[in-house]
Amino acid sequence: MNVYTFITPIVLVLLLAEIIYSVRTKKPYYNFQDTITNLATGIGNQCVNLAVAFFVFKWYGWLYQFAPWQIPNTWYFLLLLLLLQDFVFYWFHRTGHTINVFWAAHMPHHSSEELNLSVGIRASFTQRLFQFVFFDWILVLIGFSPEAVYAMAAIHLLLAYWHHTQVIKRLGWFEKLFVTPSHHRVHHGVNPQYIDKNYSEFLIIWDKLFGTFEEEDEEICYGVTHPPRTWDPIFVNFQYWKQLWDDAVAAPYWWDKIRLWFMPLGWRPRGLETEKKDRIGYTKAEQVKYRSAQYKNLKPYLIAHVAITLAYLMVVINLSSPLSALDRLILSGGVFMAIISWGGLLQARTWSIPLEVFRTAFMAIALILVLNQNGIANWTSWATIAILAVTGVSILYFSFKIKKGQLEPVPG
């Protein structure tokens, strides 16, 4: 069972509620381009999580035999697991802001210049793997089952999801013990006093105990010190990895090529040092948010196709269905083509038009073949007819409404 299959609908309902609230109250919490990029990144992340789950269950299953005892999944032991998970995650999160390779795995989540519930979905493709490989294994050695540890990591993630909002203000006495949106807004801030603060996800006591707590005071500027300046979810995820790789290739000394990955943020190899010291952080008044020209009439099309792809994703990640690993890999290929194409459309890239037409047809054909092969739907079923109808309408709409080279600036 994939616990994300149950969590995803909850996340989407909360997100939709906040979007409706923001529109009705005219709050400028959402930017269309940023929101689509966040959703695209989250969709891609869920496909990657399938491979992570397979790896975790295999490795943790082997590791579990060395636990001195097996802890049962009673409510009180699961509560203990949540508290231990929270403590371990604090240190994982803090390491993610300290060491180059861990920041590379975490940075995509911070790269949005907005803060809303869609940012909570902007999850790095590599962070969950790093969490399980380098930190959560200790919970299995303590005696918790691999299934419980994997599920609790997802539940812990859900408990932190509601923090990514500007709708909820200060919460009084609740903030003394638990992490609130106010605390987490500080964590996403790039203001000098907010950088590397408030790592906790469930209990705020860890930040207060270990000296990383900061109150929300000055208006918060969201983002990272070197924003990606693109809507491409692949670049968003691998921007810092590329930066590290370029430094490793350019470094004159072999030892620096290796240790670069495990050095603190800001460290440069010998021979690549710069005398100029970047100022750490900036304020809201200094920020210039990234916006781009996009194809006209794009909004209704992309909104519809994000919804369609989310439904498609539920088929991919639902482990109770009889799909094989190869089936899920093929369908995931369609998902990644979709999110790459959306990034191109949002920036009016000419290559995105043929890619969008191709990936729409590919996803439809792949889904029909997989459903037929697994006995879920046959060639003449209503499911097949519906998939072909939606695909045909989408391609026709795209062909008529989105005209190559016809651009317009997107409102801020």
Side-chain angles (χ1 to χ4, degrees), residues 7 12 27 67 99 204 206 238 255 337 354 372 383 398:
I7 287 176
L12 293 176
K27 301 289 186 182
I99 305 300
I204 195 62
W206 311 124
F238 294 103
W255 174 232
M337 279 192 282
N372 177 71
F398 187 81

Side-chain angles (χ1 to χ4, degrees), residues 269-289:
R270 288 169 291 176
L272 300 182
E273 304 96 338
T274 56
E275 292 184 5
K276 179 184 176 183
K277 299 295 183 183
D278 290 337
R279 178 188 169 201
I280 300 176
Y282 47 89
T283 65
K284 193 83 170 175
E286 298 169 296
Q287 184 182 47
V288 179
K289 292 182 180 179

Side-chain angles (χ1 to χ4, degrees), residues 374-394:
N374 288 278
I376 300 172
N378 58 44
W379 301 111
T380 58
S381 69
W382 283 109
T384 300
I385 294 170
I387 292 168
L388 291 173
V390 169
T391 302
V393 169
S394 297

